[in-house]
Amino acid sequence: SQNMEEESSSAAENCADTDTPSSLFFTTTDLISKMNRSIQEATGAAGELPGGGGFELQRKLPDGSYRRADESETAAANFQAKMKQAAEMTASLEPGERIEWAGWQRKQGNDLFARGEYREAMDVYLTCLVAMDQKTKKNENADPDVSEDNSTEQQLAGDDMTARIEKEIKLPVLLNLALSAMKLGLLSKADQFCTFAIETDSGRRSVKAHFRRGRVRMLMGHYVTAELDLEKADELNAAKFAEGGERGADEEAANERDTIARERRKLSRLVGQASRNQKTQKRAMERLFQSPADAGGGDLAIATEGLYHEKKTPPIQHALIEKYDESRQQLSCWQWYLHMVGRCAQKILDIIGEDEEDDSEVEIPVDRDLLNALMDEKKNS
C-alpha cells in the first residue's frame, strides 16, 4: 500500500544518516552518534570531541549516580526503540497493509540472516510480530443499523484474515526466529519460538515447526521429546505426501522426508551413545566404592579397591591382642596400666610408620617379662 511504502521509505531515509546504514530503524545508538557528529561538524573537531565531550547512554544507579551503559544495556535500549517505531508505523494501517509491511520486513530480516547478522535479524523479525499484534478497534465507526448478516460476514472475514496472518507472517517469522536463536546458541529461546509456532493453527500441521523443535531439543539433550517431535513431523510429512499435488510440492515433501529420516538416524545414534555412557559411568561408580573383599581378591581386588586403604594388621599383633583379650579380666591394676601404655605406644608407632608400611610381616618388639608373667598367671588360674 502507499502508506506502507511511505513509512518504510521514511525509516530508510532516517537510517541513511546514521553510522549503520544497514539498520532499518533509528535506534538510540544512532541518535547519540548523530548528535555527536553534529557537534563535531559545528566545532570543526575531527575524531573524538575535545575534552572528552559529547553524548553517551548512561544508566542511573540506585544511589542516584550514573555510569556508562554496557553493551547489553545499549542493545536493550536499541531494541525498545525498534519495537516502539514498528508499533507507530503500523498503528494506522489496515490488517492487509500490516501483512504487506510485515512481509517486507521479513525479507529484510532474511537478508540480515544471510549476511550472518543473526541478532539484528531477530530484532527485525520481532517487529513483524509487533505489527501483527496491533489490534484494530472493532466497530469504531460502525453503523448501529448494520444487519446481523453483515456482522456475520465481517466475522468470517476476520477469521480468514487471522488465518492468513498466521500462515503468511506468524508461522514463518517464528520459525526464522528459532533458526536465528539456534545460530546464536540460544537453544532455550529457540525451543520457545518453535513452541509458539506449533501452538498456532497452522503450526499444528506444520512439518517444519515440529522438525525444527525436534532438532533443537536433540541439541539440548532432550532425546525423548525430540523423538516425539521428529515422529510427529514424519507423520505430517507422510500425510502431506499421500495427499499429492503439484510436482514441486511432491519434491518438497520427498526432501523433507529424507531430512527427517537423517535426523532420526542421528538421534538414534546419540541415544545409543548416551546409553553406553550411562552404563560406563555406573560401572565406574561401582568400582570406585567397591571394597577389596567384595571384589573377590586377585588382580580384580587391586583394580576395585575402595576409596580408603584398609590397613593390614600384622600376624604377631593379632596374637598379642587375642592373648590380651583373654587375660585382661584377670590382670591387676598395674598390669592393666602397662597393657594400656603398650597399646597406646603401638598406636603411635602405627601412625608414624603408616606411610612406610609394606606387605611384608612387621616384627613388633614385645616385653618378654610382661608376656611371661601373663602366661604364668594364665597357667596358675
Side-chain angles (χ1 to χ4, degrees):
S1 66
Q2 184 176 0
N3 291 336
M4 179 199 69
E5 293 175 355
E6 290 176 355
E7 292 287 352
S8 300
S9 61
S10 177
E13 290 173 1
N14 288 336
C15 295
D17 295 332
T18 66
D19 293 335
T20 56
S22 61
S23 176
L24 303 175
F25 297 92
F26 195 73
T27 64
T28 304
T29 300
D30 299 331
L31 176 62
I32 293 174
S33 299
K34 186 173 183 179
M35 289 190 297
N36 288 335
R37 188 166 59 250
S38 298
I39 295 175
Q40 291 176 347
E41 292 174 356
T43 58
E48 295 185 359
L49 294 174
F55 295 92
E56 66 177 9
L57 185 64
Q58 295 186 344
R59 180 181 179 85
K60 186 176 181 180
L61 301 178
D63 61 358
S65 60
Y66 291 85
R67 65 166 174 80
R68 177 179 295 180
D70 58 26
E71 184 177 353
S72 62
E73 293 166 344
T74 303
N78 292 337
F79 176 76
Q80 291 176 359
K82 293 175 183 178
M83 298 302 107
K84 182 178 179 180
Q85 290 173 38
E88 292 174 350
M89 289 178 185
T90 58
S92 59
L93 300 181
E94 294 296 326
E97 295 173 332
R98 289 180 193 161
I99 292 177
E100 294 181 24
W101 186 91
W104 184 84
Q105 288 290 94
R106 180 189 165 201
K107 292 180 180 178
Q108 305 307 310
N110 292 344
D111 292 340
L112 291 171
F113 183 92
R115 295 199 298 268
E117 301 176 20
Y118 303 121
R119 290 192 181 275
E120 292 76 6
M122 288 184 69
D123 288 351
V124 175
Y125 291 142
L126 287 170
T127 61
C128 300
L129 298 182
V130 170
M132 293 299 97
D133 195 49
Q134 296 289 330
K135 303 296 183 182
T136 303
K137 295 182 180 181
K138 294 184 178 180
N139 301 327
E140 186 178 54
N141 300 316
D143 187 347
D145 297 330
V146 172
S147 65
E148 185 176 349
D149 292 339
N150 290 338
S151 177
T152 303
E153 291 177 0
Q154 292 176 358
Q155 181 66 34
L156 292 175
D159 293 340
D160 292 341
M161 183 60 67
T162 300
R164 182 185 172 192
I165 289 173
E166 286 189 355
K167 182 178 180 180
E168 297 182 14
I169 302 300
K170 284 190 175 181
L171 180 60
V173 165
L174 286 168
L175 294 179
N176 288 349
L177 281 167
L179 187 58
S180 299
M182 287 176 63
K183 293 292 186 179
L184 294 171
L186 306 175
L187 298 181
S188 179
K189 287 188 177 296
D191 179 74
Q192 291 177 358
F193 286 132
C194 290
T195 300
F196 292 152
I198 292 173
E199 288 175 352
T200 63
D201 292 336
S202 300
R204 278 189 282 271
R205 302 183 300 273
S206 172
V207 177
K208 186 179 293 185
H210 288 87
F211 171 79
R212 188 154 295 172
R213 189 172 71 171
R215 191 163 184 269
V216 170
R217 290 181 172 180
M218 182 176 66
L219 295 174
M220 296 173 69
H222 302 166
Y223 296 146
V224 176
T225 53
E227 174 61 27
L228 293 175
D229 282 329
L230 292 178
E231 183 178 355
K232 182 65 176 178
D234 208 0
E235 292 176 1
L236 293 171
N237 175 264
K240 181 179 178 181
F241 200 84
E243 292 176 357
E246 299 179 358
R247 180 178 179 182
D250 290 341
E251 291 179 355
E252 181 183 357
N255 292 334
E256 289 177 348
R257 181 184 57 190
D258 295 340
T259 304
I260 294 170
R262 284 197 300 270
E263 287 298 314
R264 295 190 73 175
R265 288 194 296 270
K266 181 179 179 181
L267 178 60
S268 179
R269 291 194 297 270
L270 291 174
V271 170
Q273 184 62 45
S275 178
R276 290 191 293 272
N277 292 343
Q278 187 177 13
K279 291 179 181 178
T280 301
Q281 292 175 1
K282 184 178 180 181
R283 288 195 298 268
M285 295 302 294
E286 289 175 351
R287 288 197 300 269
L288 183 64
F289 291 101
Q290 190 175 16
S291 64
D294 297 334
D299 296 336
L300 183 61
I302 296 175
T304 60
E305 189 167 307
L307 283 176
Y308 303 102
H309 177 67
E310 296 184 4
K311 186 175 180 180
K312 299 178 181 179
T313 305
I316 297 178
Q317 187 174 351
H318 271 299
L320 287 175
I321 291 175
E322 291 176 359
K323 292 178 180 179
Y324 282 4
D325 289 340
E326 293 175 359
S327 60
R328 61 184 176 180
Q329 298 295 335
Q330 305 173 7
L331 296 179
S332 64
C333 292
W334 174 249
Q335 291 173 338
W336 180 257
Y337 174 75
L338 293 177
H339 165 69
M340 295 302 298
V341 170
R343 292 191 65 178
C344 292
Q346 183 60 51
K347 187 64 177 177
I348 294 173
L349 291 175
D350 290 343
I351 295 174
I352 295 175
E354 186 174 11
D355 296 336
E356 299 178 356
E357 181 185 357
D358 54 19
D359 293 337
S360 62
E361 294 186 357
V362 179
E363 184 176 356
I364 301 176
V366 181
D367 189 342
R368 296 294 179 181
D369 294 336
L370 176 59
L371 181 59
N372 292 333
L374 294 174
M375 297 300 293
D376 291 339
E377 288 186 9
K378 182 68 175 178
K379 292 177 181 181
N380 295 332
S381 57

